[in-house]
Amino acid sequence: GQNIDQPTEMTATEGAIVQINCTYQTSGFNGLFWYQQHAGEAPTFLSYNVLDGLEEKGRFSSFLSRSKGYSYLLLKELQMKDSASYLCALMDSNYQLIWGAGTKLIIKP
Amino acid sequence: ETGVTQTPRHLVMGMTNKKSLKCEQHLGHNAMYWYKQSAKKPLELMFVYNFKEQTENNSVPSRFSPECPNSSHLFLHLHTLQPEDSALYLCASSQEGVHTGELFFGEGSRLTVL
């Protein structure tokens, strides 16, 4: 079967760095996606990894290890506006998106 | 502004009512989706339309009925719903058909069934 796990909630301090992990089990793989969703707003695409390694995009980076079934989203220089839910999603061999339940990130001053 | 507009943003209905949710995308995309989002649960894919043709129906109860008159508009008709159907219903679109994970979501319609 397919399964995605990510922590339910995390807390971090403004200006710090936080890493949100996502582990998955799947029989087929066509990429790993991260989305950001502020409360009451639409989820928005953040990143896409299909090969192993780190993809950097400004303050946000996403890492993938296909052999370990593991990804993380790294947020640097945290700002209050980064308080949101972060959704991990896996695209399987049928090009279906399998979603995690999301990690609610709380930023404290 | 994501280019995907959903109305109404909030809806309260009784179990015997009939209502519809509307989604419009201004991005020129060919694929449109309905998702259900419940608290602390993963997004659940309900329906997929690609070039106006329904390509996915994820065992959704018949009390939910989708309609896609053209590539820019998507409706979800609701009839005889149950309280457990209360959730946020998200519409999304994508540029390259259904084989892309880069979706553009609307802000959702928050549905409460009494």
Side-chain angles (χ1 to χ4, degrees):
Chain A
Q2 295 158 327
N3 189 46
I4 293 185
D5 286 312
Q6 51 181 133
T8 302
E9 187 173 298
M10 298 182 70
T11 302
T13 304
E14 189 178 15
I17 298 174
V18 71
Q19 178 175 310
I20 303 174
N21 295 326
C22 172
T23 58
Y24 63 87
Q25 295 158 342
T26 183
S27 54
F29 181 84
N30 274 305
L32 193 291
F33 297 81
W34 284 95
Y35 279 77
Q36 179 190 59
Q37 185 178 21
H38 286 101
E41 296 185 14
T44 54
F45 170 81
L46 283 179
S47 67
Y48 166 63
N49 294 69
V50 67
L51 299 176
D52 289 353
L54 188 68
E55 295 278 345
E56 297 185 72
K57 195 183 289 186
R59 294 189 299 113
F60 291 11
S61 302
S62 57
F63 172 83
L64 174 67
S65 169
R66 288 172 297 172
S67 62
K68 295 181 179 178
Y70 169 66
S71 173
Y72 67 72
L73 183 68
L74 190 71
L75 290 74
K76 302 177 183 176
E77 301 169 18
L78 285 171
Q79 302 176 9
M80 297 304 292
K81 67 178 182 179
D82 298 329
S83 292
S85 288
Y86 292 86
L87 312 179
C88 172
L90 146 75
M91 180 164 276
D92 69 10
S93 55
N94 294 319
Y95 296 96
Q96 298 276 0
L97 275 178
I98 312 300
W99 296 83
T103 299
K104 182 178 180 180
L105 178 63
I106 300 168
I107 309 298
K108 294 186 175 179
Chain B
E1 177 58 52
T2 63
V4 180
T5 304
Q6 290 188 241
T7 55
R9 292 293 311 278
H10 299 272
L11 178 63
V12 179
M13 59 187 288
M15 290 176 10
T16 59
N17 292 159
K18 286 184 182 180
K19 297 286 184 183
S20 295
L21 306 180
K22 179 183 175 183
C23 176
E24 183 175 0
Q25 56 99 356
H26 311 276
L27 301 169
H29 291 170
N30 296 315
M32 295 188 76
Y33 311 74
W34 279 117
Y35 277 92
K36 177 182 179 182
Q37 187 174 38
S38 302
K40 300 185 179 180
K41 290 186 178 180
L43 287 175
E44 297 175 46
L45 179 64
M46 300 176 72
F47 301 104
V48 182
Y49 279 82
N50 195 24
F51 291 95
K52 301 189 300 176
E53 299 297 320
Q54 187 179 131
T55 59
E56 193 80 32
N57 176 341
N58 260 13
S59 304
V60 180
S62 59
R63 57 186 184 268
F64 294 92
S65 173
E67 179 189 359
C68 187
N70 55 60
S71 293
S72 299
H73 293 85
L74 186 64
F75 295 89
L76 188 62
H77 303 300
L78 314 170
H79 175 52
T80 322
L81 295 191
Q82 305 297 311
E84 60 264 29
D85 297 323
S86 297
L88 182 67
Y89 289 85
L90 290 166
C91 173
S93 68
S94 62
Q95 183 175 16
E96 296 173 10
V98 297
H99 286 188
T100 175
E102 186 172 352
L103 304 179
F104 292 76
F105 285 90
E107 293 186 321
S109 294
R110 172 72 60 188
L111 173 66
T112 303
V113 181
L114 301 176

